[in-house]
Amino acid sequence: MTTGHATSVGFETTIAGSGGKTGIVIPDDVIDRLGAGRRPPVEVDLNGYVYRSAVAVMGGQHLVGVNADVRAATGLTAGDAVRVTLTVASGPRQVDMPTDFAAALAAEPTSAAFFSTLSNSLQRYHVDNVNAAKTPETRQRRIDKAVQLFCEGKKR
């Protein structure tokens, strides 16, 4: 049985926006061809650079953001012509765990188990907090604090 939906759809467009507010306007027919709802999670292939995002709706248009990290990695700016391939994302989003944080969690199974129950955004919150530390001492304090919180069953 064929559903008529594609898991990946490619199209050409330009980066919309200006300055730090940039994105890709996704034509309605692309959303329809993906067949995963109006705001699906997607993997975006932008001129060969792949990142994970979700389709948003703003002002009646479907959009995928192109943040500063993506712009820096690709060298793209608003107004640039691009080739885009959207693929419906499967499976949960994964957080890139720093090795030292992962080791600290592994040493405390209760903490690791609690961390695995957190939403992706809360996991990212804690990882970003650790990664934002400017000194090794601060980084270690933040790791220790997070592990202790998780052992106590607290999210933050």
Side-chain angles (χ1 to χ4, degrees), residues 16 23-26 31 38 53-59 61-65:
I24 300 163
V25 176
I26 304 167
I31 295 295
R38 305 313 284 169
S53 189
V55 174
V57 178
M58 188 184 321
Q61 293 183 311
H62 292 90
L63 302 160
V64 171

Side-chain angles (χ1 to χ4, degrees), residues 17-32:
S18 63
K21 296 179 182 179
T22 56
I24 300 163
V25 176
I26 304 167
D28 288 338
D29 72 303
V30 170
I31 295 295
D32 294 340

Side-chain angles (χ1 to χ4, degrees), residues 10-70:
F11 60 100
E12 294 183 7
T13 188
T14 57
I15 306 270
S18 63
K21 296 179 182 179
T22 56
I24 300 163
V25 176
I26 304 167
D28 288 338
D29 72 303
V30 170
I31 295 295
D32 294 340
R33 288 172 39 211
L34 286 172
R38 305 313 284 169
R39 297 178 178 155
V42 291
E43 288 185 4
V44 181
D45 182 330
L46 185 60
N47 285 356
Y49 180 83
V50 179
Y51 64 100
R52 182 139 176 181
S53 189
V55 174
V57 178
M58 188 184 321
Q61 293 183 311
H62 292 90
L63 302 160
V64 171
V66 180
N67 67 25
D69 292 338
V70 173

Side-chain angles (χ1 to χ4, degrees), residues 78-114:
D80 289 346
V82 290
R83 173 78 185 155
V84 180
T85 302
L86 297 180
T87 304
V88 177
S90 60
R93 294 179 292 173
Q94 297 295 317
V95 174
D96 293 330
M97 286 293 292
T99 341
D100 51 353
F101 195 11
L105 288 174
E108 290 286 343
T110 304
S111 184
F114 185 81

